[in-house]
Amino acid sequence: MTYTPPKVWKNTASGGQFANINRPEAGPTHDKDLPVGEHPYQLYSLATPNGVKVTVLFEELIEAGHDFDYDAWLINIGEGDQFGSGFVEVNPNSKIPALMDRSGTEPVRIFESAAIMLHMAEKHDAFLGDSRREMLSWLFWQMGSAPFLGGGFGHFYAYAPEKFEYPINRYAMEAKRQLDVLDRHLADSEWMAGSYSIADMAIWSWYGQLVLGRLYDAAEFLDVASYTNVVDWAERIDARPAVRRGRMVNRSFGDDESLKLPERHSRADFDR
Ligand SMILES: N[C@@H](CCC(=O)N[C@@H](CS)C(=O)NCC(=O)O)C(=O)O
């Protein structure tokens, strides 16, 4: 099947899962204020890998004894909540996660998952790794790499309306190369940047969950078991109580009912 691009691109329905939320322009589609709870941090998110890395950090900070709490509100991207006017004010890019930090004199917004993680980790001087240079390098590596795994491989392998060999090959190759980058690094390092840090949390959320068989049903196809150092590291992180809690926050989908906590307002919510 060949495609000849027209002179000027036009928006024609291309199908596939999530096609209903894709549009070629930014900005709000409707007026809707965001809810605000009683805690200093108001997180607006969903338990996708980009959301989970942030809720894992929030839960790790609380587990480590940092004295704060947060409200996590569900943004249902399948229903277009990310295009509500209130959400767009917090994130002009209309993507989860987004944070309002109301702990200071003026509320401030932070968007982009890694920016939120850095903001929280620096504020609490925690989970910054042994080397800031290495930690930032791996954190930025995750932000630059995961779109090839999610938007590239995941999209064409799991969500596109048909299976097309060319993009699946191209992005499977890149996903495996990325797993090999991690596997080689983790061969002689326990963590990404010396000690457990936000770089581990961010990378785990994507690549850890991939090798644990939780993303795109692609574990066998990508032979993830062969990246043994990544699997060991992913299992170590997965066993942490804060990580289990972080995975639950803003989860409204999936078969495992015990993992679902669409909204979180206090630690007690996990005991339900
Ligand atoms: N670079 C962004 C990516 C965020 C992102 O892609 N979020 C997705 C869910 S995983 C989303 O909100 N998609 C909604 C949409 O594209 O309309 C980040 O790391 O925060």
Side-chain angles (χ1 to χ4, degrees), residues 21-22 46 48-51 53 77 82-83 87 91 93-97 111-114 116 142-143 147 206:
I21 59 168
N22 293 336
L46 181 71
T48 67
N50 286 321
K53 57 171 113 151
I77 61 174
Q82 70 275 38
F83 305 121
F87 188 86
N91 184 357
N93 197 37
S94 281
K95 295 193 191 274
I96 65 90
F111 59 92
E112 286 292 322
S113 54
I116 296 172
Q142 185 277 306
M143 294 298 277
W206 282 98

Side-chain angles (χ1 to χ4, degrees), residues 240-259:
R240 298 175 69 90
V243 172
R244 177 163 173 97
R245 292 202 304 278
R247 280 181 66 206
M248 294 170 65
V249 177
N250 297 142
R251 181 173 297 275
S252 58
F253 54 84
D255 298 331
D256 189 346
E257 292 298 322
S258 72
L259 273 181

Side-chain angles (χ1 to χ4, degrees), residues 186 190-191 204 207-209 211-214 224-225 227-241 243:
L186 291 166
E190 193 182 2
W191 305 109
W204 178 85
Y207 299 88
Q209 299 211 86
V211 301
L212 293 173
R214 295 183 192 147
V224 296
Y227 304 97
T228 53
N229 302 312
V230 185
V231 173
D232 290 349
W233 162 89
E235 287 173 348
R236 270 201 309 282
I237 296 176
D238 198 43
R240 298 175 69 90
V243 172

Side-chain angles (χ1 to χ4, degrees), residues 127-131 135 190-200:
F127 302 113
L128 292 166
D130 289 349
S131 153
M135 183 277 286
E190 193 182 2
W191 305 109
M192 297 310 300
S195 55
Y196 179 57
S197 74
I198 53 174
D200 294 284

Side-chain angles (χ1 to χ4, degrees), residues 114-115 117-119 121-122 127-144 192-193 197-200 203:
M117 295 182 92
L118 211 46
H119 178 79
E122 285 183 332
F127 302 113
L128 292 166
D130 289 349
S131 153
R132 182 177 168 82
R133 175 183 45 75
E134 275 288 300
M135 183 277 286
L136 284 181
S137 299
W138 285 112
L139 185 63
F140 278 64
W141 177 86
Q142 185 277 306
M143 294 298 277
M192 297 310 300
S197 74
I198 53 174
D200 294 284
I203 295 172

